[in-house]
């Protein structure tokens, strides 16, 4: 069963990719979607089987590498952490596959698209089931390749190609850190097997690594290198710039990347390696600071974006920050809880946005929308549900609330309960980000669905609800957005937490932020709801009651507005620091190195000289006998003269 979950998507990818022509569009659609649905059903069976009995086991498929001490199997590590990721990945992927049947119905390359989707899912499943770091790296790079192929799927668009290359290159920066972290772990433990590593790490506390004559704490350096990889995959501050541009791919791709694959890989990796991170207080502090800073930064940028998909993309970046700072205060179960609920409502938001774009004839600018509530009421309702879940609306102390309410609040409460400087930093930035999240979510809803339509008459005349094949799968995400929080709370972060997670996550006794989260003051529990409702109310006032207010405010705070609109100028900064110098270096080696040196000495040097010399010598070959006789005479004269002179 476990192997089937992982390899059914691969089978779909191979069949649709290699036999797409005989299968046809319909055959590729339903084959890949059917296999994905089977994998999703099996994943839920595995989840209930593992978590009900606290199981943890390994399914060995075959020996992959055996070279001295460097030996490992291709094996599937099955525990609660894996099971949770299995249901997230396969459920969202199954919904995306079925939704794509309608969304991509007019695309001429549907078999290729569905093959890429299935390969994306397979790579993520290989990552989350990995029993060793090499296998994890295989899946890690697999999702990178799949994201490149899917972001640039519409290859005829230069912007899509540029976005795919950007995602690939930015992730390579993080992946270098991840690879170096794996090397460091192997040097320290003489193994890449996770069980061996986890058993060895406690004995390595205090071990030093020497680099260029300077000693560093081995566990801290290793954890930071691994976290650099997580920053790239999960788009944390500094390595986040690829994520908004990834919107160039088809909307189902955006949903899959943001909800279940790729960006969740970094969060999962940190939680999986909790037995390593727990022994480095400094590394955990870095994770907390980066996560909190990302949550705040991305929320500020989401306030001013006008592309409906980019607003949701920056909300993903912000919510990933919440997950990381939860992990940073050792609340790994809270991080995984928020990852799970986020998968449902973020997929719902992206696919709902896709329904809006489909209705608006591919228009994505919210400034050209408005008044759509009555025209596409089902999509409107879905977007409200997803947005309220993202805002975290619910009643503290009761089982009443959307999924995001339960998971986001426990993250903030754990940060406060950590009672550390970095925990306080994360709590307050997370609280401010919650206010901004509610504001930009309300702004999206009111600009898109309320007020007077700003679309042209031709576009407005064609507005229609999406077909059933796009709408019906979303009900699964609606159920998750409504009930996943209250359903999973007890097992993920409540009284049943210890039995649910078993040995899949390690939290040292001195790190009790999550255990103390229920003891925080009442104002800490009420604050997220207060700021969420305040942000929603402010957006309602500005975009419904006083639609002239945003323009007036922009005039008064123009510099701040431009700072947010231009994403804190990170792209411009990186362009100045890295892109331009890289082009300058490349141009130097091209002009001076290649053309003047290599070509100058090679094709344009020796070869040209030889060619010119041969042409000059060929002039002596006239074909006239008296010319040759004269040359012979000159030769005799020269030879006699030389002989006489030297005698």
């Amino acid at each position: 069963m476990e192997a089937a979950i992982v390899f059914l998507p691969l089978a779909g990818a191979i069949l649709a990719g290699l036999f797409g022509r005989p299968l046809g569009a319909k055959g590729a659609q339903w084959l890949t979607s059917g296999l994905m649905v089977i994998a999703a059903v099996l994943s839920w069976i595995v989840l209930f089987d593992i978590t009900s009995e606290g199981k943890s086991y390994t399914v060995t498929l075959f020996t992959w590498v055996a070279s001295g001490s460097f030996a490992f199997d291709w094996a599937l590590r099955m525990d609660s952490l894996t099971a949770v990721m299995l249901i997230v990945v396969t459920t969202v992927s199954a919904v995306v596959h079925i939704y794509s049947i309608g969304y991509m119905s007019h695309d001429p390359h549907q078999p290729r698209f569905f093959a890429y989707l299935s390969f994306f899912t397979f790579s993520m499943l290989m990552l989350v089931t990995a029993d060793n770091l090499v296998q994890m790296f295989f899946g890690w790079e697999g999702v990178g390749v799949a994201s490149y192929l899917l972001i640039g799927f519409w290859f005829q668009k230069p912007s899509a190609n540029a976005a795919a290359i950007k995602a690939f290159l930015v992730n390579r920066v993080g992946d270098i850190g991840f690879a170096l972290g794996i090397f460091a772990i192997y040097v320290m433990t003489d193994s890449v097997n996770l069980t061996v590593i986890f058993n060895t790490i406690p004995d390595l506390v205090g071990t030093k690594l020497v680099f260029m004559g300077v000693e560093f704490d081995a566990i801290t350096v290793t954890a930071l290198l691994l976290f650099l990889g997580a920053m790239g995959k999960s788009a944390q501050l500094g390595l986040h710039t690829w994520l908004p541009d990834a919107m160039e791919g088809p909307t189902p791709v955006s949903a899959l990347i943001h909800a279940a694959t790729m960006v969740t890989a970094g969060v999962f990796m940190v939680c999986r390696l909790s037995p390593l991170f727990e022994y480095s207080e400094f590394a955990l502090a870095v994770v907390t600071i980066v996560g909190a800073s990302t949550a705040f930064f991305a929320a500020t940028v989401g306030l001013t974006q006008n592309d409906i998909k980019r607003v949701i993309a920056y909300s993903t970046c912000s919510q990933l920050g919440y997950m990381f700072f939860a992990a940073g205060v050792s609340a790994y179960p809270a991080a995984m809880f928020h990852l799970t609920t986020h998968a449902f409502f973020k997929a719902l938001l992206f696919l709902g946005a896709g329904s809006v774009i489909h209705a608006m004839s591919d228009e994505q600018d919210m400034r050209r929308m408005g008044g759509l509530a009555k025209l596409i009421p089902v999509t409107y309702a879905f977007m409200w549900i997803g947005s309220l879940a993202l805002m975290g609306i619910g009643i503290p102390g009761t089982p009443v609330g959307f999924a995001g309410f339960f998971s986001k609040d426990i993250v903030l409460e754990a940060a406060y309960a950590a009672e550390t400087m970095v925990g306080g930093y994360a709590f307050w930035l997370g609280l401010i980000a919650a206010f901004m999240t509610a504001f930009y979510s309300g702004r999206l809803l009111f600009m898109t669905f309320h007020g007077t339509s700003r679309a042209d008459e031709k576009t407005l005349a064609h507005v229609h609800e999406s077909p059933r094949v796009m709408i019906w799968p979303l009900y699964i995400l609606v159920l998750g957005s409504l009930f996943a929080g209250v359903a999973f709370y007890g097992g993920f972060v409540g009284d049943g937490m210890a039995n649910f997670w078993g040995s899949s996550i390690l939290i040292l006794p001195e790190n009790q932020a999550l255990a103390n989260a229920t003891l925080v003051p009442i104002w800490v529990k009420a604050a997220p709801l207060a700021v969420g409702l305040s942000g929603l109310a402010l957006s309602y006032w500005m975009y419904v009651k006083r639609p002239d207010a945003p323009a007036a405010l922009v005039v008064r705070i123009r510099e701040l507005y431009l700072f947010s609109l231009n994403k804190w100028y990170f792209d411009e900064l990186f362009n100045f620091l890295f892109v331009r110098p890289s082009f300058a270096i490349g141009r130097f080696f091209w002009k001076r190195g290649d053309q003047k040196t290599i070509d100058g000495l090679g094709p344009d040097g020796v070869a040209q000289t030889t060619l010119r010399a041969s042409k000059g010598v060929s002039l002596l070959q006239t074909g006239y006998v008296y010319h040759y006789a004269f040359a012979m005479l000159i030769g005799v004269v020269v030879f006699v003269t030389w002989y006489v002179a030297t005698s």
Side-chain angles (χ1 to χ4, degrees):
M1 183 188 301
E2 295 83 358
I5 293 171
V6 176
F7 290 104
L8 283 176
L10 178 62
I14 293 173
L15 292 172
L18 298 182
F19 305 102
R21 192 180 294 265
L23 282 173
K26 290 291 184 184
Q29 290 170 358
W30 291 108
L31 173 66
T32 55
S33 299
L35 293 176
M36 195 60 62
V37 169
I38 295 171
V41 172
L42 294 177
S43 296
W44 282 94
I45 294 173
V46 167
L47 174 71
F48 290 118
D49 181 52
I50 287 179
T51 56
S52 63
E53 300 181 20
K55 291 182 179 179
S56 180
Y57 56 92
T58 299
V59 178
T60 302
L61 301 179
F62 54 84
T63 299
W64 193 0
V65 172
S67 178
S69 63
F70 188 62
F72 49 90
D73 298 324
W74 192 309
L76 309 179
R77 184 185 182 92
M78 304 303 298
D79 55 22
S80 298
L81 189 59
T82 301
V84 168
M85 289 302 298
L86 289 180
I87 64 160
V88 168
V89 175
T90 57
T91 302
V92 172
S93 185
V95 171
V96 168
H97 270 74
I98 298 172
Y99 178 94
S100 299
I101 294 174
Y103 193 88
M104 301 294 290
S105 59
H106 301 298
D107 194 280
H109 306 293
Q110 291 179 61
R112 178 163 60 88
F113 178 78
F114 281 88
Y116 289 169
L117 279 186
S118 292
F119 175 69
F120 203 170
T121 306
F122 162 72
S123 298
M124 189 65 186
L125 292 173
M126 284 307 308
L127 191 159
V128 302
T129 58
D131 179 60
N132 58 79
L133 290 175
V134 177
Q135 186 177 324
M136 185 181 290
F137 191 73
F138 171 85
W140 193 270
E141 294 303 300
V143 295
V145 171
S147 67
Y148 170 80
L149 296 172
L150 285 166
I151 293 169
F153 181 76
W154 286 325
F155 54 84
Q156 70 275 14
K157 295 170 57 179
S159 57
N161 291 323
I165 293 171
K166 185 176 183 179
F168 198 76
L169 291 178
V170 172
N171 272 274
R172 296 290 72 71
V173 177
D175 291 354
I176 290 173
F178 189 37
L180 291 174
I182 294 174
F183 298 155
I185 287 179
Y186 181 70
V187 169
M188 291 191 298
T189 66
D190 197 34
S191 178
V192 292
N193 182 274
L194 293 178
T195 301
V196 175
I197 293 168
F198 296 161
N199 291 334
T200 307
I201 287 296
D203 299 327
L204 297 175
V205 175
T207 303
K208 302 296 181 182
L209 284 177
V210 180
F211 179 71
M212 297 182 68
V214 181
E215 286 189 344
F216 299 94
D217 183 75
I219 293 179
T220 296
V221 169
T222 303
L224 291 176
L225 287 171
L226 294 169
F227 179 59
L228 182 61
M231 288 178 63
K233 274 290 179 288
S234 295
Q236 292 301 281
L237 189 62
L239 295 178
H240 68 279
T241 54
W242 67 270
L243 191 61
D245 291 350
M247 298 303 97
E248 290 292 337
T251 300
V253 174
S254 303
L256 196 57
I257 289 176
H258 287 251
T261 60
M262 190 73 169
V263 298
T264 61
V267 179
F268 166 79
M269 185 263 283
V270 171
C271 294
R272 169 60 82 197
L273 298 179
S274 59
L276 171 71
F277 280 86
E278 279 295 279
Y279 288 98
S280 176
E281 184 178 346
F282 181 79
L284 287 176
V286 171
V287 173
T288 305
I289 292 171
V290 171
S293 301
T294 303
F296 176 81
F297 154 76
T300 64
V301 178
L303 296 173
T304 57
Q305 301 305 301
N306 296 307
D307 185 307
I308 188 171
K309 287 173 64 177
R310 282 181 181 265
V311 175
I312 304 173
Y314 275 106
S315 80
T316 298
C317 192
S318 183
Q319 298 304 306
L320 288 166
Y322 281 91
M323 300 173 205
F324 274 111
F325 76 67
V329 297
S330 297
Y332 306 101
M336 291 303 301
F337 187 26
H338 196 47
L339 183 153
T340 303
T341 61
H342 176 266
F344 289 106
F345 60 74
K346 186 50 57 70
L348 179 61
L349 283 171
F350 263 114
L351 298 182
S355 187
V356 172
I357 295 167
H358 179 80
M360 292 292 293
S361 304
D362 297 329
E363 179 60 67
Q364 296 183 199
D365 194 327
M366 296 186 299
R367 292 170 296 182
R368 299 190 181 96
M369 297 181 186
L372 298 179
K374 294 181 179 179
L375 300 175
I376 46 175
V378 177
T379 299
Y380 173 60
F382 287 173
M383 290 296 285
W384 262 107
I385 292 171
S387 297
L388 290 171
L390 174 61
M391 296 178 209
I393 301 300
I395 303 175
T398 72
V400 178
F402 291 85
F405 160 72
F406 295 94
S407 58
K408 184 195 68 180
D409 280 24
I410 194 65
V411 167
L412 290 171
E413 291 163 13
Y416 183 88
E419 297 182 343
T420 61
M421 187 176 295
V422 294
Y425 175 81
F427 171 76
W428 287 108
L429 285 191
L431 199 60
I432 297 169
F435 171 80
M436 292 187 286
T437 300
F439 178 84
Y440 65 65
S441 297
R443 176 176 177 264
L444 182 152
L445 291 168
F446 299 134
M447 287 184 69
T448 303
F449 296 102
H450 291 258
T452 304
S453 176
R454 297 175 296 280
D456 59 77
E457 292 184 4
K458 182 179 179 182
T459 300
L460 203 58
H462 291 85
V463 173
H464 59 284
E465 194 64 85
S466 297
R468 287 175 294 181
V469 72
M470 291 172 62
I471 292 295
W472 286 0
L474 300 190
Y475 283 102
I476 296 173
L477 302 178
V478 168
L479 290 174
S481 301
L482 289 172
F483 304 114
V486 67
F488 291 144
Y489 184 89
F492 275 61
V493 295
D495 296 335
M497 178 173 61
N499 291 331
F500 184 91
W501 294 107
S503 60
S504 63
I505 289 176
L506 173 67
I507 302 176
L508 294 179
E510 58 265 30
N511 296 329
Q512 293 297 308
L514 185 56
N516 295 332
T518 56
L519 306 177
V520 298
I522 188 64
W523 71 266
V524 174
K525 295 178 178 292
L529 176 61
V531 298
L533 293 177
S534 299
L536 181 60
L538 181 60
S539 65
Y540 176 77
W541 181 81
M542 291 183 66
Y543 290 94
V544 177
K545 290 296 185 181
R546 288 288 304 277
D548 58 319
L553 181 62
V554 166
V555 173
R556 297 182 63 179
I557 56 168
R558 183 165 182 78
E559 295 303 321
L560 283 175
Y561 170 76
L562 292 176
F563 189 66
S564 170
L565 183 66
N566 290 288
K567 300 157 285 188
W568 289 28
Y569 296 101
F570 266 102
D571 284 327
E572 290 78 2
L573 177 63
F574 288 169
N575 189 53
F576 175 77
L577 292 177
F578 303 114
V579 179
R580 288 183 182 178
S582 297
F583 272 106
I585 294 171
R587 193 174 294 107
F588 171 81
F589 282 111
W590 168 38
K591 293 290 186 181
R592 298 293 181 88
D594 190 12
Q595 291 186 341
K596 290 193 175 182
T597 304
I598 297 175
D599 288 349
L601 295 177
D604 296 333
V606 175
Q608 285 295 329
T609 301
T610 303
L611 179 62
R612 286 193 293 269
S614 65
K615 287 182 178 179
V617 172
S618 69
L619 296 176
L620 299 176
Q621 305 297 322
T622 62
Y624 294 108
V625 175
Y626 59 84
H627 284 171
Y628 302 146
F630 179 73
M632 294 171 63
L633 180 62
I634 293 298
V636 171
V637 171
V638 171
F639 176 75
V640 172
T641 302
W642 173 79
Y643 180 77
V644 172
T646 56
S647 297

